[in-house]
Amino acid sequence: MAFEIDNIFKTYQMGGVEVPALRGVSLKVDKNEYIAIMGPSGSGKSTLMNIIGCLDIPTSGHYFLEGEDVSTLKDDQLAVIRNKRIGFVFQTFNLIPRSNIFHNVELPLIYSGLPASRRRKLAEEAIEKVGLSDRIKHKPNELSGGQRQRVAIARALVNNPSIILADEPTGNLDSATGEEIMGIFDQLHKAGNTIILVTHEHDIAEHAHRVVKLKDGLVESDEIVRNGRYAEALQDA
Amino acid sequence: MQSFSDTIESLKIALQAIKANKARGLLTTLGIIIGIVAVVTTMTAANGLENSFKESISVLGSDVLYVSRTPWVHSGRWFEFRNRQNLTLKEADKLKIQLKKAVAVNPLTETRRSIKYRSRVIDDVSIVGTTDKHIVVSSGVPDYGRFLNHYDVEYKHFVCVIGSEVKKRLFETVDPINKKMKVGRYDFRVVGVMEQQGGAGMFGGPNFDMQIYIPITSFMKAFGGRDRDFDFVVKAPSTEALPDFEYELVGEMRKIRKLKPTDKDDFSINQMSTLVAAYNNVMGVVVMIGLLITGVSLFVGGIGVMNIMFVSVTERTREIGIRKAIGAKRRTILTQFLFESSVICLLGGLAGVILSFGVTALINSTVMPASISIPIVIVALAISVLVGVFSGIIPAYRASRLNPIEALRYE
């Protein structure tokens, strides 16, 4: 079991009014699953992603990450969980602009306190996995969008997390580059990683083997789609 | 506990951020630079003054007590002392006999007269009537020639020993020994020139190099002895024995003055430490005012840095969000910004210290001897870091508490 979400509610206070974003969501995800979370805006998928990514905690309900209840942790404890167990890939890449590629990828390892030699090795491996070894000294603004997203993926990978959480990872890319990036996620999945895609694009979601659809803060459907176009190709490979 | 690599990272980020905003940093630190220059200059000047002061009073000697009609340092209590009897030469002689422990008892008196050699005149020069014991109780010695001797005093010789500056100004290149000069209306023969004693009378005290010493007996003959007030300079066996010695001196003086046990002393005992204490009081106030002004400029400088740190935090809200998302703890973010403000202020402090060396060199060449000491530099740099921490703490704290979700959404 990668994680389990049990009857989670999340309510925001907005000008004295309580606005429910999640109204009792439950979800079990096994190791090495490849899940897409879909839903229109306002469906609560961002809120759910924030909770899965330990950026936020639920108002009620439980979230077990690899068996540990993380739904009541404090800020700094959540920071440790994010650092060690979650790899984020954002729509807007979110790289540190002043730092070069190597340093961007190395950063989570610095926060987990690894010695420099070990950090170098792990960061270089992660960068090699996304095929950017020749750009290691470049700054993010010297790279194309697709390359930046690869850097972000390398950064997500570098701490060997339990979950890779990708929020609209192709939203800022043209479709060809998007496919290229999705190819990397497919590879990562094949290599044994658990991947959560948050998207509203169907052809992106089709890369996943399971699609969870949210609507109005509830799970509307939860389907296994093992016969998706790319899944098929992957199974053949 | 924050890891070492974490701290290094915070420092690197801080340096990077400062490097990226050089002009802004420079303008921001201007207040700090001015403040630090003020700190260093104030402390250096205070040190310089203290050194000159100590030098100028060291002539008085630390093992010497002065018996006088009034205390050197008093705060407007003139009426208490004005009816006191003058000290007389007779009393000095009695004291010499009764206070056996005294190494020497030297009566002194002073007047101001113009002096003249050939056509050169200097007005208002301090003329000191003293005895051959003068060089026992004070640290000054003749540079050449001799000092007054026992016979000069005994036989009321009209001879004088002149200060080094008197020699320079009145005689220039002429050898003054055995030359006749006029002191007031009287001719005195120069028998010696004192070595330079410095101190230049900076604190309104006597400028020893501008004094002329004549036998006390000749003094009274020339300038009158009736109703004249004397000071007795009494040398103790050692500096350590001074407190006990002072007690005995007071006792003997009371006997000489025939005071009843209930009477208050009608004379005063003065010593170098009284002046030092008075000086310290005055300098304390001066330094306090200096530091107050300095404090204000550092405070204003600190506010400037705080302002810039708020800008820096706002500018990098998104970056803070990213760092938090990938695992930076509150403390990590806090240190990052504290390092930034501290390094900005430390650089300002360094610039201030460097500028201060220039200012001090200027003071040194114009006003008085002054030099920056290592402790002052260390204190100045410590203060600048402290200002950095003080002005960075609120922005840094705010940064550390940012919600990562909102920070990531920030455009």
Side-chain angles (χ1 to χ4, degrees):
Chain A
M1 184 78 69
F3 67 86
E4 179 181 354
I5 281 173
D6 180 22
N7 199 26
I8 272 181
F9 285 78
K10 182 72 187 180
T11 310
Y12 292 107
Q13 295 284 341
M14 280 180 160
V17 184
E18 292 199 339
V19 181
L22 296 177
R23 299 186 295 161
V25 173
S26 296
L27 197 60
K28 282 184 187 178
V29 176
D30 277 325
K31 282 222 164 79
N32 200 21
E33 275 204 75
Y34 195 172
I35 280 201
I37 296 175
M38 299 191 73
S41 56
S43 61
K45 66 180 194 300
S46 291
T47 307
L48 183 60
M49 189 208 73
N50 287 340
I51 288 173
I52 294 173
C54 290
L55 288 165
D56 206 349
I57 52 172
T59 313
S60 74
H62 291 281
Y63 171 25
F64 299 95
L65 182 59
E66 291 183 315
E68 184 189 350
D69 190 353
V70 296
S71 42
T72 56
L73 295 183
K74 300 263 174 289
D75 264 21
D76 276 356
Q77 294 167 314
L78 288 174
V80 174
I81 300 280
R82 290 196 294 270
N83 181 246
K84 303 229 151 103
R85 311 231 198 126
I86 314 277
F88 287 101
V89 178
F90 300 97
Q91 178 176 3
T92 49
F93 321 134
N94 283 342
L95 301 175
I96 309 277
R98 272 196 297 269
S99 301
N100 66 27
I101 301 319
F102 175 77
H103 191 76
N104 264 290
V105 175
E106 186 195 20
L107 202 52
L109 301 173
I110 290 174
Y111 290 140
S112 48
L114 288 186
S117 56
R118 182 106 187 97
R119 296 204 300 262
R120 172 156 288 275
K121 186 171 172 287
L122 289 174
E124 278 171 356
E125 276 173 17
I127 294 169
E128 203 185 329
K129 272 184 203 163
V130 296
L132 285 176
S133 295
D134 53 333
R135 297 291 157 92
I136 204 154
K137 292 281 174 206
H138 288 245
K139 296 271 169 73
N141 62 8
E142 295 161 351
L143 301 182
S144 70
Q147 286 171 326
R148 287 184 212 185
Q149 197 58 300
R150 286 171 190 231
V151 176
I153 293 171
R155 182 179 64 188
L157 278 178
V158 76
N159 248 351
N160 193 24
S162 317
I163 310 170
I164 294 173
L165 195 55
D167 180 16
E168 306 275 9
T170 59
N172 275 17
L173 302 172
D174 62 69
S175 53
T177 318
E179 278 306 317
E180 211 179 283
I181 292 298
M182 289 319 295
I184 296 177
F185 280 113
D186 293 346
Q187 294 291 332
L188 291 176
H189 172 247
K190 211 176 143 196
N193 290 288
T194 311
I195 296 171
I196 320 284
L197 279 175
V198 177
T199 183
H200 63 267
E201 290 175 65
H202 282 279
D203 41 342
I204 296 301
E206 273 176 22
H207 284 260
H209 297 180
R210 178 178 166 194
V211 175
V212 175
K213 285 187 178 159
L214 290 184
K215 197 181 177 189
D216 299 329
L218 290 166
V219 176
E220 187 189 40
S221 68
D222 186 349
E223 294 167 351
I224 308 290
V225 280
R226 292 254 180 229
N227 53 351
R229 314 183 254 161
Y230 299 94
E232 228 168 70
L234 268 172
Q235 275 165 350
D236 293 347
Chain B
M1 191 44 213
Q2 188 164 359
S3 74
F4 180 66
S5 53
D6 227 7
T7 313
I8 297 288
E9 168 71 10
S10 296
L11 187 60
K12 271 191 199 157
I13 299 164
L15 290 175
Q16 240 174 20
I18 293 165
K19 226 162 96 185
N21 294 300
K22 284 192 204 88
R24 193 167 83 181
L26 184 71
L27 289 176
T28 309
T29 51
L30 217 52
I32 306 290
I33 294 175
I34 293 168
I36 290 297
V37 169
V39 171
V40 174
T41 315
T42 306
M43 293 192 341
T44 303
N47 264 4
L49 285 177
E50 192 166 333
N51 287 341
S52 332
F53 173 75
K54 284 202 172 134
E55 192 184 314
S56 72
I57 64 162
S58 67
V59 182
L60 300 179
S62 58
D63 55 354
V64 163
L65 295 173
Y66 287 74
V67 185
S68 312
R69 198 168 74 96
T70 57
W72 285 344
V73 183
H74 56 80
S75 31
R77 295 180 292 135
W78 263 115
F79 59 94
E80 261 183 55
F81 315 120
R82 86 185 156 182
N83 289 330
R84 285 182 173 180
Q85 298 273 315
N86 284 341
L87 294 168
T88 64
L89 272 186
K90 240 178 220 166
E91 287 171 334
D93 288 336
K94 280 186 193 164
L95 190 63
K96 223 179 285 181
I97 296 163
Q98 294 179 17
L99 191 64
K100 297 205 171 55
K101 274 192 193 160
V103 175
V105 176
N106 184 49
L108 272 187
T109 189
E110 194 203 3
T111 186
R112 300 189 86 84
R113 289 287 188 278
S114 47
I115 55 174
K116 188 177 173 196
Y117 176 69
R118 301 219 164 134
S119 60
R120 218 183 306 280
V121 178
I122 307 175
D123 286 323
D124 198 33
V125 177
S126 161
I127 315 295
V128 177
T130 183
T131 74
D132 52 306
K133 294 286 187 288
H134 190 94
I135 48 175
V136 179
V137 296
S138 88
S139 64
V141 290
D143 190 16
Y144 56 97
R146 62 171 177 86
F147 197 74
L148 307 173
N149 62 31
H150 176 69
Y151 300 104
D152 295 330
V153 179
E154 185 96 339
Y155 301 106
K156 304 178 188 173
H157 290 156
F158 274 45
V159 292
C160 66
V161 176
I162 61 178
S164 62
E165 206 177 326
V166 175
K167 190 260 158 189
K168 214 181 290 168
R169 283 170 56 185
L170 199 64
F171 291 94
E172 293 187 330
T173 54
V174 179
D175 177 9
I177 300 295
N178 285 326
K179 298 282 186 314
K180 286 257 166 85
M181 59 179 280
K182 274 216 184 322
V183 177
R185 290 181 291 125
Y186 300 91
D187 279 333
F188 278 76
R189 184 167 57 90
V190 179
V191 293
V193 178
M194 297 299 280
E195 65 173 15
Q196 194 180 333
Q197 298 183 36
M202 234 179 124
F203 299 92
N207 178 355
F208 296 104
D209 296 331
M210 266 310 281
Q211 279 182 331
I212 291 179
Y213 304 103
I214 62 177
I216 195 157
T217 47
S218 326
F219 184 102
M220 290 169 72
K221 199 168 162 187
F223 308 118
R226 208 170 295 172
D227 296 331
R228 189 162 286 286
D229 184 30
F230 293 88
D231 289 312
F232 306 159
V233 189
V234 187
K235 189 176 167 79
S238 69
T239 308
E240 294 73 46
L242 203 61
D244 290 338
F245 185 74
E246 181 179 355
Y247 187 77
E248 285 177 44
L249 173 60
V250 170
E252 294 306 330
M253 277 306 294
R254 288 180 66 92
K255 273 190 220 161
I256 291 166
R257 286 262 160 130
K258 299 193 172 67
L259 297 178
K260 293 192 197 101
T262 50
D263 292 343
K264 278 190 181 169
D265 292 349
D266 59 352
F267 54 88
S268 296
I269 309 291
N270 295 307
Q271 51 183 305
M272 193 174 81
S273 60
T274 330
L275 281 190
V276 173
Y279 166 83
N280 284 345
N281 276 345
V282 173
M283 269 324 277
V285 172
V286 171
V287 168
M288 278 300 287
I289 293 170
L291 291 185
L292 193 76
I293 295 168
T294 302
V296 169
S297 69
L298 280 177
F299 181 76
V300 173
I303 296 291
V305 173
M306 189 185 291
N307 193 17
I308 278 306
M309 289 312 296
F310 273 124
V311 172
S312 186
V313 168
T314 309
E315 268 178 2
R316 283 188 282 159
T317 301
R318 201 182 169 88
E319 180 189 318
I320 296 165
I322 297 169
R323 289 180 186 276
K324 289 198 124 188
I326 63 173
K329 290 183 197 157
R330 281 179 182 174
R331 198 218 279 259
T332 310
I333 303 293
L334 188 83
T335 0
Q336 172 186 334
F337 285 98
L338 274 189
F339 267 130
E340 187 172 329
S341 63
S342 306
V343 170
I344 287 177
C345 288
L346 182 62
L347 290 177
L350 278 173
V353 167
I354 291 167
L355 270 178
S356 305
F357 274 101
V359 174
T360 307
L362 200 69
I363 292 176
N364 202 15
S365 64
T366 54
V367 189
M368 61 175 188
S371 65
I372 294 177
S373 65
I374 298 292
I376 290 179
V377 171
I378 293 170
V379 167
L381 294 182
I383 288 175
S384 52
V385 171
L386 219 65
V387 171
V389 172
F390 157 80
S391 49
I393 192 85
I394 299 172
Y397 181 75
R398 188 176 285 188
S400 76
R401 305 289 292 201
L402 280 176
N403 176 332
I405 299 169
E406 280 162 26
L408 279 170
R409 233 182 261 142
Y410 186 87
E411 291 298 328

